[in-house]
């Protein structure tokens, strides 16, 4: 009966070649002798839900899914074309595939985009025009800032709060050979490091970065550090806070590093010819693995270390036999029994429980156009013909919130394909860099950061342009207790209590930083688990805030906190007008500050904007100015309450 069901599935599928098998010869024998053992799990049918034409993708392309949106970078109609109207980012509705938006960068040129990182409605990405951007996903959609750098940005950025201001900052590297850390709020460069050329007689005369950084706090200072390999053949660990070099590791072959590192309890890197290196957190070599004696570049996808300690990586040699290597724990010279010859593989494996049995399967997409499902030990469980080749790493996860896993594949046919998998299981390695922040660290959820507020994204009109419509918002998507701004408090911090009682309430996890805060006032920044909640403001004539002092004024810059109407830092001023009435801006020349009030009945709540967005006109000579006119895309920077 089991065999007949299996054969029925085999012949029923026109598009997909489904088979449940191990190594070719052994499995053929098992099918004859022990059918039940081979078919312990029925094959997983892949049902294509939708596809969208998006352009060329590479092994450095990231696929991200956020709040029901699929986001993918595009190299346009061709990786070598300039002024290509497909270059940039493509945003699609996860449930339907409907095109929501195309994000182009300016000026014209080679605007190819490979990697994108996502957090709290902000997208961070670079292009082949020597530019790096932060983009606001929701509402109208707008560029928050952009900077010029010293080369193309080929890899994906990684995100971390490097300066402890409550917002994630971006780390990325260029073909010019420089690693940049930039302020996520303003785009200001926090630090940068340009790596040297290595001696040309043993190493290539390159210092460019094709790999993406990994992030891990290796020096235990509370900030994730930067781990990245260069084409000069050296792997670097930079201090995330200062940018100083912590340690470096030099590979043995003169091929350079294209692949991005995998970070777990160890750091696994691949030099492009034939070797893997497993390092500890101090840069000391734990294991060196000679995969195959090749002298041509062929290791491009990232290695993935499984919970068992085994390492899996695909190979894509220009000549000879390519495929997938499974290296068991402890082995340094894997034999042919660890190799599955499935053709060229440039994509990084993704790992998830697709059978719903609490195990893990390894999914590998090949350049020849197959999706191959492996067991954790390297046995082939299932092969599916896709009908198109794949170089980019797929993404696996529940992208549309229906509780079931989806597989998203950016194919060499220049389309993004979304498949529905019939089981729900845990995801171990979701995509190219493991998560939406591209930390490259397995299980890294960055859970200390607040969940983003996610208004609906308007759809794109037929013409290729940015969305310019009435914005749509929801005010029912946040916790009205922990994250509420009211006239009596901001979240857990309330007016009228003493500073001492607040410290006792928050306990030892809280951090307080005191100092000047504008003209005529000082402030104490209150952070919990490295997330700034708010600032307690007090007069500048007081040298410090005492435990017995009563809290009478609070301010927050954290977009997690909202009024019950859903208005807070990061919200458009236009939303405040909808909820509270007409906006009035006041600018004080003495302090160079601009304040904002809405309508009436909110005497204890004020709002701040920066830079100055009110349109006052040039004729006024008053030290205090007011206006109800303002720049179209103005956003609220902070909310302040007073007792």
């Amino acid at each position: 009966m089991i065999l007949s069901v299996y054969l029925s599935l085999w012949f029923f599928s026109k598009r997909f070649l489904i088979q449940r098998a191990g190594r070719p010869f052994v499995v053929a024998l098992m099918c004859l002798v022990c059918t039940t053992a081979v078919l312990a799990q029925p094959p997983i049918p892949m049902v294509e839900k939708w596809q969208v034409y998006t352009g060329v993708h590479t092994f450095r392309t990231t696929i991200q899914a956020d709040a029901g949106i699929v986001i993918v970078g595009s190299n346009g109609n061709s990786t070598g074309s300039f002024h290509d109207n497909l270059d940039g980012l493509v945003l699609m509705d996860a449930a339907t595939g409907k095109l929501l938006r195309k994000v182009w960068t300016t000026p014209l040129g080679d605007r190819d985009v490979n990697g994108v990182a996502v957090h709290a409605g902000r997208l961070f990405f670079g292009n082949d025009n020597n530019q790096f951007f932060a983009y606001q996903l929701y509402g109208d959609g707008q560029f928050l800032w952009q900077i010029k750098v010293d080369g193309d940005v080929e890899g994906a950025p990684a995100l971390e709060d490097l300066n402890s201001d409550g917002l994630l900052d971006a780390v990325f590297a260029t073909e010019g050979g420089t690693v940049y850390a930039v302020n996520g709020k303003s785009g200001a460069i926090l630090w940068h490091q340009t790596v040297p050329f290595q001696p040309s007689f043993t190493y290539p005369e390159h210092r460019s970065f094709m790999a993406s950084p990994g992030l891990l706090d290796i020096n235990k200072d509370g900030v994730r550090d930067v781990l990245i390999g260069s084409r000069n053949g050296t792997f670097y660990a930079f201090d995330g806070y200062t940018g100083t070099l912590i340690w470096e590791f030099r590979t043995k072959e003169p091929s350079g590093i294209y692949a991005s590192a995998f970070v777990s309890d160890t750091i696994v890197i691949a030099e492009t010819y034939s070797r893997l290196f497993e390092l500890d957190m101090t840069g000391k070599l734990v294991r060196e693995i000679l995969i195959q004696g090749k002298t041509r570049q062929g290791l491009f996808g990232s290695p993935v270390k499984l919970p068992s300690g085994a390492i899996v990586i695909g190979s894509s040699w220009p000549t000879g036999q390519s495929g997938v290597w499974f290296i068991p724990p402890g082995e340094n010279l894997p034999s042919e029994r660890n190799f599955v010859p499935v053709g060229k593989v440039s994509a990084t494996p993704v790992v998830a429980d697709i059978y719903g049995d609490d195990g893990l399967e390894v999914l590998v997409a090949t350049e020849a156009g197959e999706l191959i499902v492996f067991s954790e030990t390297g046995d082939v469980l299932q092969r599916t013909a896709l009908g198109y080749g794949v170089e980019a790493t797929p993404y696996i996860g529940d992208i549309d919130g229906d509780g079931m896993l989806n597989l998203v594949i950016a194919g060499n046919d220049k389309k993004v394909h979304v498949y529905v998998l019939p089981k729900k299981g845990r995801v171990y390695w979701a995509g190219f860099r493991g998560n939406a922040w591209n930390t490259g660290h397995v299980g890294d959820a960055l859970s200390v950061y607040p969940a983003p507020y996610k208004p609906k994204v308007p759809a794109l009109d037929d013409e290729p342009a940015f969305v310019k419509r009435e914005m749509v918002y929801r005010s029912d998507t946040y916790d009205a207790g922990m994250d509420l701004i009211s006239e009596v408090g901001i979240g857990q911090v309330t007016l009228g209590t003493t500073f001492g009682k607040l410290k006792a309430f928050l306990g030892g996890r809280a951090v307080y930083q005191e100092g000047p805060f504008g003209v005529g006032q000082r402030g104490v920044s209150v952070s919990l688990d490295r997330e700034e909640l708010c600032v307690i403001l007090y007069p500048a004539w007081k040298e410090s805030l005492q435990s017995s002092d009563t809290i009478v004024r609070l301010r927050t810059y954290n977009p997690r906190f909202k009024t019950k109407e859903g208005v807070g830092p990061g919200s458009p001023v236009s939303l405040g007008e909808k909820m509270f009435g007409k906006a009035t801006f006041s600018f004080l020349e003495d302090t160079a500050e601009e304040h904002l009030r809405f309508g009436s009945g909110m005497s204890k709540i004020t709002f701040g904007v920066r830079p100055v967005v009110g349109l006052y006109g040039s004729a006024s000579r008053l030290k205090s100015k007011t206006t109800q006119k303002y720049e179209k895309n103005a956003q609220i920077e902070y909310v302040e309450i007073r007792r």
Side-chain angles (χ1 to χ4, degrees), residues 73-92:
S74 173
N75 282 240
N77 291 292
S78 166
T79 55
S81 61
F82 282 59
H83 315 322
D84 191 329
N85 62 5
L86 272 183
D87 287 350
L89 292 179
V90 183
L91 281 59
M92 297 151 281

Side-chain angles (χ1 to χ4, degrees), residues 182-374:
V182 298
N183 186 302
K185 188 174 184 179
S186 66
I189 296 175
L190 299 174
W191 57 262
H192 67 280
Q193 283 274 26
T194 301
V195 300
F197 290 111
Q198 299 291 10
S200 60
F201 62 90
T202 56
Y203 279 77
E205 289 191 58
H206 294 286
R207 63 181 177 196
S208 60
F209 288 99
M210 305 296 285
S212 304
L215 300 181
L216 180 68
D217 184 9
I218 61 176
N219 60 7
K220 305 303 180 185
D221 65 352
V223 177
R224 289 172 176 85
D225 304 303
V226 180
L227 308 167
I228 189 169
S230 167
R231 286 189 64 198
N232 68 10
T234 302
F235 189 84
Y236 298 95
F238 296 108
D239 184 288
Y241 183 66
T242 65
T244 56
L245 181 66
I246 301 175
W247 52 257
E248 63 181 64
F249 176 85
R250 190 166 177 178
T251 62
K252 290 192 174 181
E253 300 290 341
S255 65
I257 299 173
Y258 280 79
S260 304
F262 182 91
V263 183
S264 58
D265 57 332
T266 58
I267 303 163
V268 184
I269 63 177
E271 60 87 10
T272 311
Y273 278 178
S274 59
R275 294 179 190 268
L276 298 179
F277 300 92
E278 190 171 5
L279 312 178
D280 67 14
M281 300 308 156
T282 67
K284 181 180 178 181
L285 182 64
V286 175
R287 180 166 53 144
E288 178 183 331
I289 305 165
L290 176 63
I291 289 185
Q292 207 169 28
K294 295 286 186 178
T295 57
R296 300 289 298 276
Q297 293 175 345
L299 300 182
F300 298 103
S302 297
V304 173
K305 185 177 179 181
L306 302 175
S308 65
I311 297 172
V312 56
I313 189 172
S315 58
S316 181
W317 315 117
T319 58
Q321 198 172 50
S322 297
V324 179
W325 289 87
F326 280 80
I327 301 97
E331 289 203 13
N332 294 343
L333 191 64
S335 64
E336 289 298 318
R337 73 179 185 274
N338 304 122
F339 177 66
V340 186
V342 297
K344 291 184 177 181
V345 176
S346 295
T348 298
V350 294
V351 185
D353 174 16
I354 66 170
Y355 294 121
D357 59 359
D358 295 326
L360 287 175
E361 287 73 46
V362 180
L363 285 70
V364 176
T366 75
E367 293 183 35
E370 276 193 300
L371 179 76
I372 304 176
V373 181
F374 296 89

Side-chain angles (χ1 to χ4, degrees), residues 596-611:
L596 166 64
R597 290 184 182 274
F598 293 105
S600 58
M602 298 183 65
S603 59
K604 295 183 178 180
I605 302 180
T606 59
F607 302 82
V609 289
R610 188 178 298 172

Side-chain angles (χ1 to χ4, degrees), residues 584-606:
T584 300
F585 295 83
S586 301
F587 178 73
L588 302 177
E589 287 192 347
D590 290 343
T591 60
E593 289 185 334
E594 186 174 39
H595 299 283
L596 166 64
R597 290 184 182 274
F598 293 105
S600 58
M602 298 183 65
S603 59
K604 295 183 178 180
I605 302 180
T606 59

Side-chain angles (χ1 to χ4, degrees), residues 1 32 111 125 129 179 235 237 261 265 269 289 314 348 380 382 406 429-430 497 515 542 547 575 598 614 641:
M1 178 63 183
L32 292 173
R111 301 174 293 177
F125 61 97
N129 225 18
V179 180
F235 189 84
D265 57 332
I269 63 177
I289 305 165
T348 298
V380 178
Q382 181 173 329
N406 300 103
W429 193 251
T497 189
K542 287 180 64 70
S547 294
L575 175 62
F598 293 105
I641 63 173

Side-chain angles (χ1 to χ4, degrees), residues 54 69-76 84-92 99-106 111-113 116 123-127 133-146 457 460 463-467:
T54 54
I69 305 166
V70 174
I71 305 160
V72 63
S74 173
N75 282 240
D84 191 329
N85 62 5
L86 272 183
D87 287 350
L89 292 179
V90 183
L91 281 59
M92 297 151 281
L99 181 65
L100 297 175
R101 190 177 304 166
K102 293 178 182 177
V103 180
W104 292 285
T105 58
T106 56
R111 301 174 293 177
D112 295 350
V113 174
V116 58
L123 310 182
F124 298 86
F125 61 97
N127 65 11
F133 304 88
Y135 179 82
Q136 181 67 50
L137 177 60
Y138 302 113
D140 272 349
Q142 60 178 317
F143 286 97
L144 302 173
W145 49 260
Q146 68 179 61
V457 177
L460 182 72
E463 70 275 6
F466 291 120
V467 176

Side-chain angles (χ1 to χ4, degrees), residues 247-553:
W247 52 257
E248 63 181 64
F249 176 85
R250 190 166 177 178
T251 62
K252 290 192 174 181
E253 300 290 341
S255 65
I257 299 173
Y258 280 79
S260 304
F262 182 91
V263 183
S264 58
D265 57 332
T266 58
I267 303 163
V268 184
I269 63 177
E271 60 87 10
T272 311
Y273 278 178
S274 59
R275 294 179 190 268
L276 298 179
F277 300 92
E278 190 171 5
L279 312 178
D280 67 14
M281 300 308 156
T282 67
K284 181 180 178 181
L285 182 64
V286 175
R287 180 166 53 144
E288 178 183 331
I289 305 165
L290 176 63
I291 289 185
Q292 207 169 28
K294 295 286 186 178
T295 57
R296 300 289 298 276
Q297 293 175 345
L299 300 182
F300 298 103
S302 297
V304 173
K305 185 177 179 181
L306 302 175
S308 65
I311 297 172
V312 56
I313 189 172
S315 58
S316 181
W317 315 117
T319 58
Q321 198 172 50
S322 297
V324 179
W325 289 87
F326 280 80
I327 301 97
E331 289 203 13
N332 294 343
L333 191 64
S335 64
E336 289 298 318
R337 73 179 185 274
N338 304 122
F339 177 66
V340 186
V342 297
K344 291 184 177 181
V345 176
S346 295
T348 298
V350 294
V351 185
D353 174 16
I354 66 170
Y355 294 121
D357 59 359
D358 295 326
L360 287 175
E361 287 73 46
V362 180
L363 285 70
V364 176
T366 75
E367 293 183 35
E370 276 193 300
L371 179 76
I372 304 176
V373 181
F374 296 89
S375 71
E376 288 186 83
T377 56
D379 293 314
V380 178
L381 303 178
Q382 181 173 329
R383 299 179 76 156
T384 301
L386 296 171
Y388 53 86
V390 181
E391 184 177 325
T393 302
Y395 174 91
I396 190 166
D398 179 8
I399 65 172
D400 51 13
D402 65 355
M404 308 305 292
L405 289 178
N406 300 103
L407 187 66
V408 186
I409 303 178
N412 291 348
D413 60 350
K414 304 182 183 180
K415 295 179 181 178
V416 168
H417 303 258
V418 169
Y419 300 92
V420 179
L421 303 180
K423 299 289 185 179
K424 178 183 180 181
R426 68 187 177 106
V427 176
Y428 176 79
W429 193 251
F432 176 41
R433 302 305 293 141
N435 52 50
W437 313 280
N438 295 332
T439 62
H441 184 196
V442 68
D444 194 353
L446 297 185
S447 58
V448 299
Y449 298 99
Y453 175 65
K454 300 167 183 156
K456 181 180 177 182
V457 177
L460 182 72
D461 291 324
D462 293 335
E463 70 275 6
F466 291 120
V467 176
K468 294 297 180 185
R469 290 187 176 182
E470 185 70 10
M471 292 174 285
V472 180
Y473 295 91
R474 296 195 305 269
S475 59
D476 59 350
T477 58
Y478 60 90
D479 185 331
M482 295 293 289
D483 301 340
L484 182 65
I485 299 173
S486 70
E487 292 189 348
V488 297
I490 296 175
Q492 303 173 71
V493 186
T494 58
L495 297 175
T497 189
T498 65
F499 185 37
K501 289 182 179 179
L502 173 66
K503 289 188 288 186
F505 173 72
L506 294 180
R509 291 184 304 153
V511 175
Y512 306 92
Q513 187 171 356
E514 191 169 0
F517 207 88
V519 179
Q521 61 189 11
R522 292 175 61 82
V524 175
S525 170
V526 182
S527 297
L528 193 63
D529 294 330
R530 297 181 58 229
E531 175 195 358
E532 184 182 82
L533 305 179
C534 61
V535 178
I536 304 169
L537 298 175
Y538 60 95
W541 52 263
K542 287 180 64 70
E543 292 185 1
S544 63
L545 193 65
Q546 303 299 314
S547 294
S548 59
D549 288 335
T550 300
I551 299 172
V552 296
R553 193 174 167 196

